Amino acid sequence: MVTYILCLMLFCVGLYCVLRKRNLIKIIIGIGIMGYAVNLFIILAGYRAQSRAPIYANDQIVARMVDPLPQAMVMTSIVLELSVTLILIAIAIRIYEKYGTFDITKINKLKG
Amino acid sequence: MADLIQYLIIVPLAAAFLIPLFAKKARWLCQVLAQAGVLIITALSFAIALYVKDGLTLIYNVGRWPVPTGISLVVDSLSAFMLVISNFVMLVIVLYSNSYIKKYSDTWKHYSLLMMVVSGVNGVLVTGDIFNLYVFLEIASIAVYALFAFGLRKESFEAAFKYAVMSTVASTFVLLGIAVLYSYVSTLNMAGIASALTAKEQSGSVIKFVTVLFLMGFGLKAALVPFHSWLPDAYSESPATVPAISSGILIKVLGVYTLGRILFNVFGMQPAVSHILLALAVMSMVLGGIMAFGQTNVRRLLGYSSISQIGYIFLALGVGTKLALVGGLFHILNHSISKSLLFLNVGLVEDHPDMAKKPVNAFTALAGAMSICGVPPTGGFWSKLIIIIACIEAGHIALAFIAVVVSIFTIAYYFRALTPVLFSQGKAAEARPGAKGMPFSMGFAVILLAVISVASGVVLMPNAANALLTGAVNILIGGTGYASAAMGALR
């Protein structure tokens, strides 16, 4: 139970970072933290007490193993997060070239 | 027939991969590849739609793995209806961009990203697996982040960053919802989830929590009102094809279709959820309409108008009777066609200022605006009328009244926007030096969309399109019967 609460706290830290920070790079880091928290949650959802990795071998009998599907999901979601982070950083670099700052309060050409 | 479903994803992905390979050698090949790819999948989706219109369900197991292990692609009437709309609109937009995109450098990137969006959208529409839905959602979204920044101006980067951050947070909420749902039912197949939830006697609080997460996530993609602020910004500074795609296809498929599919077919519609949908819908309709009044930029005005019209669609989903859903799905068709038409008109005027008062542009823009306002002969009139009648029938008199008032609002701000552009007596703007007349493909694209937006009322008469619309409504009305349909076709 404590693990789940810590996982939720990590998610909230990421969300706070996205909502409150003024720096584009810190916002991107916040998105990363949120993603890690969700990935951790998916792994936790597949955990079974007292069990081992879901790897079959010829001479072994695995009695209890963790759910392998969430681990496959996490692989996919890590790749997606990587590509999102890449494109966010690319846009942030171009914003820095145009505006000369990472401060979102100074990047305010669009209103209304 | 079921084996053909996979090509809806494979063909655009292959095109997206091949276009950069040929970009340096033969630029004309990029256009041909994109056009051919979209043409193939449009033809394919029309064929599939004709096949499934009588209530059949097509299933394809990816890699021949049976369902609890593998991923299945499921196409029923609802998916086919959305496939036809989105692929047809995309076909017209690619045709239009053949001439439009020439003013930008690196046009192949535009085509490649467009193909990526198409494969993401088609994937969302055909998948029967909820995590797979998330993956395709992200593919479409990531391509659109890049497309919104395509104008390479200060404002477009700002808008793209804003949309990228908000949309990524929304996707994270969706992923969290999927994780909670998986830990509860231990399956990712949507039909499997539906039958597992029906089997469990009481599934109250978990499903409520997941519903809220999905409403936040998909609601942002659909630009419902508390989550709408990215939309006008993103539309104001990008090539005109991108808001046309976003407004015509993405907010419907990534927002409305996904929410409709999950809330109706997987969870089964609860009265509390439909009340939330009604509240969000009314807020979107009213606030979108009011904000559109204050705009001086026509693209922002069209953006707020999109928010307002999305409100009508969600009003129909929230009322949830059979008549309301007919109106809602029909409004998706009308709004896709006419809003992309209006954005293509805007692109035309920005490129060729002397075109503003030419009859081709003026009348097509008028047709699109009339359809969105709901002026009688056009399709938009019928869909709004059906939604309002359905509201009254279901006893929501106040909602029907609000819908009528917002509709009058819509006419007012479209008049304000279009009158000075199209019908003022001032002298025509000077043509940009070196600009020739309107290219054929652009003219053809806007005329095609204008004809459809005026004549789309035909769908309400008995014919193949009507059968498809009715089939799609029956899928939504059938609720968790989706599970037995999708599972039944498997065995």
Side-chain angles (χ1 to χ4, degrees), chain A residues 24 67 98-99 107 109 112, chain B residues 154 158 161 182 300 304:
Chain A
L24 293 186
D67 191 349
K98 299 272 180 187
Y99 288 82
I107 303 168
K109 291 275 173 205
Chain B
K154 265 187 165 183
E158 185 186 339
F161 191 82
Y182 176 76
R300 295 182 78 88
Y304 278 113

Side-chain angles (χ1 to χ4, degrees), chain A residues 8 11 15 18 24-25 27-28 31 34-35 37-39 41-42 45-46 48 67 69-70 72-74 76-77 80-81 83-84 87-92 94-95 98-99 104 107-112, chain B residues 69 131 134-135 138-139 142-143 145-146 149 152-162 164-166 168-169 172-173 175-176 178-180 182-183 186-188 232-234 236-237 291 295 300 304:
Chain A
L8 181 69
F11 187 81
L15 196 58
V18 173
L24 293 186
I25 301 298
I27 291 176
I28 296 171
I31 286 175
M34 280 175 76
V38 174
N39 288 344
F41 179 79
I42 298 174
R48 303 285 177 272
D67 191 349
L69 187 57
M73 282 162 70
V74 165
T76 318
S77 103
L80 286 172
E81 266 160 31
S83 47
V84 167
I87 200 155
L88 279 171
I89 289 174
I91 297 174
R94 299 304 291 265
I95 287 179
K98 299 272 180 187
Y99 288 82
I104 55 167
I107 303 168
N108 52 4
K109 291 275 173 205
L110 293 164
K111 280 199 180 111
Chain B
T69 327
F131 186 73
Y134 165 77
V135 172
E138 282 286 86
I139 290 175
I142 290 170
Y145 305 154
L152 295 184
R153 296 174 53 179
K154 265 187 165 183
E155 294 86 353
S156 42
F157 286 123
E158 185 186 339
F161 191 82
K162 196 172 175 181
V165 169
M166 292 173 78
T168 309
V169 173
T172 313
F173 276 115
L175 184 59
L176 186 61
I178 291 171
V180 173
Y182 176 76
S183 66
S186 302
T187 176
L188 287 171
D233 288 348
S236 57
E237 298 291 337
M291 293 297 280
Q295 303 305 320
R300 295 182 78 88
Y304 278 113

Side-chain angles (χ1 to χ4, degrees), chain B residues 188-201:
Chain B
L188 287 171
N189 188 286
M190 289 205 273
I193 294 172
S195 47
L197 287 178
T198 336
K200 293 200 182 196
E201 287 295 310

Side-chain angles (χ1 to χ4, degrees), chain B residues 127-130 133 188-195 261-262 266 482:
Chain B
T127 187
D129 181 286
I130 200 163
L133 187 145
L188 287 171
N189 188 286
M190 289 205 273
I193 294 172
S195 47
R261 176 67 91 192
I262 290 173
V266 179
Y482 167 76

